[in-house]
Amino acid sequence: MPRFAANLTLMFTEVPFLDRFGKAAEAGFEAVEFLFPYDFDRNEIAERLKHYNLTQALFNMPPGNWAAGERGMAAIPGREEEFRKNLQTARDYALTLKVPVLHAMAGITRDLDRAACEETFVANMRHAADTLAGDDITVLIEPLNSRDIPGYFVAHQMDAVGWVEKIDRPNVAVQLDLYHAQIMDGDLTRLIERMGERIGHVQIASVPLRNEPDGGETNYPHLYETLDRVGYKGWIGCEYNPRNGTEAGLGWFQPYRRRS
């Protein structure tokens, strides 16, 4: 039985961010995720989670200048000190919010020396994994499709698995966003089977429009069964853009929702 986390960056945007926790709980979600919490006091977020009996499933480490198009720095040479500072900020939030996984965005490396980027990525990810190991937090690598984010460091799921193996830390895994995976890799059933225990978090959206997971070219009920079969026990993040308002599009979720 899949367990879903509402992505509060994209869902329930009809209300201010801190009010989205209550909306998610009212809709029947047991967990939430979002891109970044850093504009808000971590203790205030923790109070919302506690009040609504929600689990924090995931968030990302600081990405650099998001508005300017930056998408992380884990693989960008020369920004190691900034990466480590951001790691400490993310760790503070992670401990307060009791999150089990953190996504370390690799960055757009299209015009950079590939060998240097690879060396930087391995060193930064090992440092992050070692820093968070005692906190029982897993660091995630997420491939992002080259149509939406050209030049991102890693775009294919099995490449991410290769990086997990090269980094060689028990608390590093792949963030499998099935929207990105369908665009770049396809053959999702066999892909999930091949990735197996390397999957540390899952996200969903329809393809190609990134709306509710109830249409497009992916059969999500089948993929939920496949995830169950390979033993995935984590949350499934709903990182999609509602077509016509969040609540109006939650019909797909009714068989899975928490009942009060």
Side-chain angles (χ1 to χ4, degrees), residues 157 197 251:
Q157 301 299 321
E197 64 182 11

Side-chain angles (χ1 to χ4, degrees), residues 17-130:
F17 178 74
L18 291 174
D19 294 336
R20 297 172 197 172
F21 294 82
K23 288 289 189 180
E26 182 180 344
F29 287 94
E30 297 181 70
V32 296
E33 64 175 33
F34 37 72
L35 292 183
F36 312 109
Y38 309 109
D39 288 339
F40 301 90
D41 182 270
R42 63 182 187 271
N43 294 304
E44 189 169 5
I45 296 174
E47 282 299 318
R48 300 290 173 126
L49 293 169
K50 181 179 179 181
H51 179 77
Y52 293 109
N53 192 28
L54 291 166
T55 296
Q56 184 69 48
L58 167 85
F59 59 85
N60 299 337
M61 287 178 53
N65 190 337
W66 183 269
E70 292 187 346
R71 294 296 181 266
M73 65 202 69
I76 298 182
R79 299 184 70 174
E80 292 86 351
E81 184 176 347
E82 184 180 1
F83 178 85
R84 293 188 177 209
K85 180 180 179 180
N86 287 341
L87 173 62
Q88 291 303 321
T89 298
R91 179 176 181 268
D92 290 341
Y93 273 82
L95 293 177
T96 300
L97 304 184
K98 301 178 182 178
V99 71
V101 293
L102 280 176
H103 172 212
M105 300 190 76
I108 295 172
T109 58
R110 173 176 44 200
D111 299 322
L112 304 177
D113 179 80
R114 182 68 185 184
C117 291
E118 293 179 353
E119 182 178 350
T120 300
F121 186 64
V122 170
N124 278 335
M125 293 298 288
R126 284 176 176 169
H127 173 77
D130 292 344

Side-chain angles (χ1 to χ4, degrees), residues 178-179 182-183 188 204-224 240-241 243 249-253 256:
L178 289 163
Y179 164 79
Q182 171 63 10
I183 293 170
L188 295 179
I204 57 173
S206 67
V207 181
L209 298 180
R210 205 168 192 173
N211 298 140
E212 286 87 347
D214 58 3
E217 62 193 52
T218 45
N219 179 358
Y220 274 111
H222 167 76
L223 296 177
Y224 303 150
Y240 64 79
N241 298 300
R243 296 184 192 93
L250 287 176
W252 71 269
F253 178 58
Y256 309 104

Side-chain angles (χ1 to χ4, degrees), residues 138-171:
T138 294
V139 188
L140 299 178
I141 302 168
E142 181 186 16
L144 303 180
N145 80 77
S146 57
R147 183 170 70 204
D148 291 346
I149 307 180
Y152 194 75
F153 178 73
V154 56
H156 293 279
Q157 301 299 321
M158 293 309 297
D159 287 348
V161 170
W163 285 115
V164 169
E165 294 172 352
K166 188 168 186 177
I167 292 162
D168 193 26
R169 295 293 188 273
N171 60 325

